[in-house]
Amino acid sequence: MNVFVLKDEAAIGKVVGDLFCDKVLQKPNAVLGLATGATPLPTYQRMAKRCKAREVSFKGVTTFNLDEYCDLPVEHPNSYRSFMRAELFDNIDIDLQNTHFLDGNTADEFAQCAAFDALIEEKGGIDLQLLGIGRNGHIGFNEPANAFTDGTFKVELTPSTIAANSIYFTDVPMPRYAMTMGVGSILRAKEIVLVATGSAKAEAVKAMVEGAIDPQCPASALQKHENVAIYLDPAAAALLSR
Ligand code: PGA
């Protein structure tokens, strides 16, 4: 794991946004794994800015989003499909047909999860995966558990995640279930970039970077991957000992 501490979230957004743009410049048909939440917003703003300046084009790019809520209409503003349209896809020149999401309202979750993992493989695998981290150490919606997950699956969200994300749900109750790429699916990405900002993430960051590889901190599985970069602000890095 390569850990970088930058001065603030704007600086991280610039560096990580440029990493994604550089990947696409090197490989115009790159497969990108994308994340939602507050953390990636500066990264997405940087990508949009460079696309608008015609420095990079996402026309040939394919994306897979890590996760999606269950039992929430896709057109709801809190669905991750809506989030990605508003925060990135409507601001770059990507072909929406090449953006892939899990369907949290599917009648056959097992078939859909298997098809999602198979489609990632068919597209050649994820070249660069963006991750955030939950306060409880989750990546995607892989919550603390007794064993690491492998492929994409349906998960019951923990009270910690529900507490963190409920603030976004003002009109409907926050969903209790989600579909997510498993830890195994995430580790199959060729390169991974994880961003964490703010003191609420400091404990989880310490467990991820310096703790044992333990499914109680799903992000600690990233220690097993050969090409992971972690970008932190000083508050998220505060508990690291080195
Ligand atoms: P956040 O979520 O970026 O909104 O903090 C990150 C996550 O839960 O993975």
Side-chain angles (χ1 to χ4, degrees), residues 219-232:
S220 66
L222 298 175
Q223 292 177 27
K224 298 191 270 188
H225 195 283
E226 284 180 355
N227 197 350
V228 178
I230 315 269
Y231 286 86
L232 306 172

Side-chain angles (χ1 to χ4, degrees), residues 35-41 66-67 80 83 131-141 143 161 164-165 167-168 194-197 200-201:
T36 50
T39 310
L41 293 178
L66 272 174
D67 45 18
Y80 286 161
F83 175 100
L131 296 176
I133 183 170
R135 296 169 203 190
N136 62 3
H138 74 203
I139 46 174
F141 274 133
E143 302 284 40
T161 298
N165 291 12
I167 52 164
Y168 300 117
L194 183 144
V195 178
T197 51
K201 303 293 175 66

